[in-house]
Amino acid sequence: MEKIIRGRIKTIELNGIREFYGKYRFFVWFFLGIILGTLCMNIFCEYFYDKLGIYTTYFMETYGNIIVDKKSLFWYSLRDYALEAFLIFLLSPTSVGSVFLNLFCGYKGVVISLLISSSVLKYGIGGVLIYLLSIFPHYITYGIMLWIMISFGKLINEKIKNYRKNRCLGGGIFESIKIFLCEVTEGRKILLAIVWVIVLLVITAFLDVYVNMGIMGSFF
């Protein structure tokens, strides 16, 4: 009897862990990325600090004196942000979509961790404030954009999995896109998500180049 009760308790615990992971898996991967980035910075401190170079004395002293072609930088920034959006929309409907979204969140955690650690190494606890200053205000719209893309990507991936399971279908990316467009969601929802992402892409790039650079330049 005890074995049966213990078995049921373990099953309940495992189900609870699975449910928690299924609901918050992107936060879990993001947190794992932060841990990995922190460990890498501690182990390979000099290498990562030299490679990043963003918070070095030379960079901060010359930041305010750099003359930048903001129009060209705007298009460069927009292209970088758009590439992320394109990859998420392209890969989410595929069989590797779930893995890609997990790794993407982990990658973001690693990058943020490395930048914060680099700033803290240079300026102590005040480095956290410098990092927050360097991502304000464009990371607000950037975060909203990522949330829309990842949430939408997760929804699409799950619906396609269920669709394939019910219909016993395999297939590659073209079949996935066909299901995505024709069977899985309404065209209005697809269009709305794309419009929102495009608007947020433009706003994020604009804030990054024309607002954040002005804020950073006034402090350094």
Side-chain angles (χ1 to χ4, degrees), residues 174-197:
F174 292 108
E175 184 180 344
S176 296
I177 293 172
K178 182 180 177 182
I179 296 170
F180 170 52
L181 293 174
C182 301
E183 302 287 349
V184 177
T185 58
E186 297 175 5
R188 187 185 302 173
K189 291 181 180 179
I190 300 171
L191 182 61
L192 185 61
I194 292 173
V195 168
W196 268 111
V197 168

Side-chain angles (χ1 to χ4, degrees), residues 8-80:
R8 287 180 178 176
I9 291 172
K10 287 181 180 179
T11 302
I12 292 170
E13 289 176 349
L14 286 173
N15 289 337
I17 293 172
R18 286 182 190 137
E19 185 179 347
F20 176 85
Y21 176 76
K23 192 174 182 180
Y24 300 105
R25 64 189 175 96
F26 297 133
F27 292 103
V28 171
W29 279 89
F30 180 76
F31 183 70
L32 289 174
I34 289 177
I35 294 175
L36 178 61
T38 303
L39 288 175
C40 288
M41 196 65 178
N42 288 328
I43 296 172
F44 306 105
C45 175
E46 292 184 6
Y47 174 81
F48 278 111
Y49 186 75
D50 291 337
K51 287 293 181 183
L52 290 171
I54 190 170
Y55 297 114
T56 59
T57 303
Y58 172 78
F59 178 84
M60 299 308 255
E61 286 178 351
T62 57
Y63 189 93
N65 300 319
I66 296 173
I67 298 174
V68 179
D69 182 354
K70 290 189 176 181
K71 185 177 179 181
S72 298
L73 185 60
F74 169 80
W75 289 111
Y76 177 82
S77 179
L78 184 63
R79 185 191 67 185
D80 269 9

